[in-house]
Amino acid sequence: MHVFGESFDNFESVAHFAGAKLSRQRQTNLFFRYSWLESLHRHCLNDRAIKVYYAEAIDSKANVWLFLVNEKLPGRHSALSNFYSFVSGPAFGGDYDEITKLALLRELAAIAAKNGHKIALHDVPDENGEATLMRRAFRLTGWQVRHEQCDVNHILHVNGRSFDDYWRTRPGQMRSTVRRKARSHGITTRIDTQITKENWRDYRDVYRRSWKPDEASFDFLHELAVNEGTANALRLGLAYKDGRAIAAQLWTVDHGIALIHKLAYDEDEKKSSAGTILSAALFQHVIDNDKAELIDFGTGDDGYKADWMETARPRYRQVYYWPHSPFAWPDLAWHGTKRFISGLVEKSLND
């Protein structure tokens, strides 16, 4: 198999080289599209230079990308992602099998060894073998790898059900809450597919009165919402009481996958359960109207997610060290010492 690789230091070069490879049509995963990565870097991570690795199988045109940003110290890189991203790691494209994937990842590992001595990734998925193959490929190329679970991802496989079929399987208390409080508190909901001055103002107002007013980069979220609205992939949910927005949620749905990006509610209206009522409306919309096959609640093992979802997938943290670089030795020595001490502690507890 003939494989070649490239590295890039700016988005202009990536855009010129990638063409349509990272477009909505070719890359089904939102978090690996050029539009998402470029916007996230520009709005949230622009104090850190990018480093992008690419490998392609010449015969099949199968390819893989790895988007990173520089850390403060030279030679150290981490994933181009933050709390908005559900995943990081390798982004595959084209037609490939496991053997091709491994060959592509080994090429990435070889390129990376020439450009640094440490790579840190988090929320790496493994349902399609991404984390397993990354670890194997980098180890075969000579890297040392730390691998551990760092989070979970709650999802719902719709499996052809209607919303009514799905709703009947939800906890009785949640179903009762939606039924009673929507009526008793006069909660109304709307779901918009385009951004307007009015609905974005309401969205921001809810966040300002929520428990997380300083969490969001609204410029990034607004650009995301506009772009996804243009592609008819936006689902902006708002719940109102007495004409005032008191809950808001930003979803997208594309390629049969609904993603729950952000949700918030007015702290003073917590007893109205407007967030739960709005969630039910959005689930109904994406299941019955959009015919979503999968609903993804992102990372985090919050208890309420289990009420809505039926499956949890692991997410992994992986740190790669190039042992032939002296700059990697302090980290390797530190982690080796930690493992030795942990082994001693475990042995003493078992004796």
Side-chain angles (χ1 to χ4, degrees):
M1 182 184 302
H2 299 290
V3 177
F4 79 92
E6 295 278 353
S7 66
F8 305 93
D9 296 312
N10 59 77
F11 273 104
E12 292 77 10
S13 298
V14 172
H16 178 76
F17 184 87
K21 289 185 177 75
L22 297 170
S23 66
R24 182 183 302 273
Q25 292 72 29
R26 301 274 288 276
Q27 178 52 256
T28 60
N29 190 321
L30 169 66
F31 307 105
F32 292 144
R33 292 178 193 157
Y34 180 89
S35 59
W36 171 276
L37 292 159
E38 189 279 331
S39 180
L40 184 69
H41 181 259
R42 177 162 35 88
H43 289 296
C44 304
L45 297 165
N46 61 15
D47 60 330
R48 298 161 66 183
I50 70 165
K51 175 65 73 173
V52 182
Y53 301 134
Y54 174 81
E56 180 176 313
I58 296 175
D59 298 334
S60 66
K61 302 300 182 184
N63 57 81
V64 65
W65 300 82
L66 185 63
F67 281 82
L68 307 170
V69 289
N70 292 337
E71 295 292 346
K72 293 180 180 179
L73 295 176
R76 296 169 178 250
H77 304 96
S78 59
L80 199 175
S81 65
N82 67 0
F83 52 85
Y84 291 128
S85 309
F86 291 14
V87 294
S88 70
F92 289 97
D95 297 322
Y96 46 78
D97 54 22
E98 188 168 308
I99 294 174
T100 303
K101 278 186 174 182
L102 186 63
L104 292 171
L105 291 176
R106 291 190 68 175
E107 180 66 19
L108 284 191
I111 299 171
K114 301 174 183 177
N115 288 273
H117 61 272
K118 180 181 178 182
I119 298 172
L121 304 177
H122 56 85
D123 296 325
V124 182
D126 203 32
E127 47 266 22
N128 296 309
E130 298 93 336
T132 299
L133 286 171
M134 279 285 286
R135 181 169 51 166
R136 183 180 173 193
F138 273 68
R139 281 178 172 169
L140 287 172
T141 313
W143 291 75
Q144 292 193 24
V145 184
R146 287 176 54 215
H147 171 91
E148 60 193 6
Q149 184 173 341
C150 64
D151 214 331
V152 297
N153 166 227
H154 284 273
I155 59 169
L156 173 74
H157 290 286
V158 178
N159 292 327
R161 288 173 287 182
S162 68
F163 175 77
D164 287 343
D165 292 336
Y166 158 76
W167 191 239
R168 279 193 289 269
T169 67
R170 295 307 91 202
Q173 183 177 356
M174 185 168 74
R175 290 184 285 122
S176 175
T177 295
V178 170
R179 184 174 59 252
R180 289 184 297 102
K181 294 199 173 183
R183 182 175 61 250
S184 63
H185 287 266
I187 306 298
T188 60
T189 63
R190 60 185 279 187
I191 299 170
D192 292 345
T193 60
Q194 302 289 323
I195 287 297
T196 66
K197 289 182 180 179
E198 292 75 19
N199 62 23
W200 192 249
R201 178 200 62 212
D202 288 347
Y203 179 85
R204 293 202 59 167
D205 284 347
V206 171
Y207 257 84
R208 192 174 63 250
R209 299 191 303 272
S210 76
W211 69 97
K212 47 184 178 182
D214 299 323
E215 174 197 288
S217 168
F218 284 106
D219 289 340
F220 170 72
L221 291 174
H222 185 264
E223 187 168 305
L224 169 68
V226 170
N227 289 342
E228 296 305 297
T230 301
N232 196 33
L234 175 69
R235 304 296 178 262
L236 180 69
L238 294 160
Y240 293 85
K241 179 181 178 182
D242 299 326
R244 186 170 71 116
I246 60 172
Q249 298 186 19
L250 196 162
W251 293 36
T252 58
V253 57
D254 191 22
H255 292 282
I257 300 172
L259 304 173
I260 306 174
H261 294 276
K262 303 300 295 180
L263 42 80
Y265 59 80
D266 187 332
E267 281 272 65
D268 293 336
E269 295 288 346
K270 186 175 183 178
K271 291 183 179 179
S272 72
S273 299
T276 303
I277 294 166
L278 181 58
S279 290
L282 279 156
F283 270 82
Q284 182 172 25
H285 187 96
V286 301
I287 290 173
D288 287 347
N289 291 26
D290 296 316
K291 307 299 181 185
E293 300 167 6
L294 178 76
I295 302 177
D296 189 331
F297 222 141
T299 54
D301 203 17
D302 309 88
Y304 69 88
K305 292 184 178 181
D307 290 339
W308 296 94
M309 302 308 199
E310 296 173 347
T311 305
R313 307 185 290 196
R315 292 290 177 257
Y316 296 96
R317 171 176 168 79
Q318 295 187 320
V319 186
Y320 308 88
Y321 302 97
W322 183 242
H324 304 292
S325 168
F327 295 106
W329 295 349
D331 281 329
L332 289 171
W334 167 247
H335 291 294
T337 303
K338 282 179 65 178
R339 284 196 303 271
F340 177 73
I341 294 172
S342 296
L344 289 178
V345 171
E346 184 177 353
K347 184 178 185 300
S348 68
L349 291 174
N350 292 331
D351 288 343

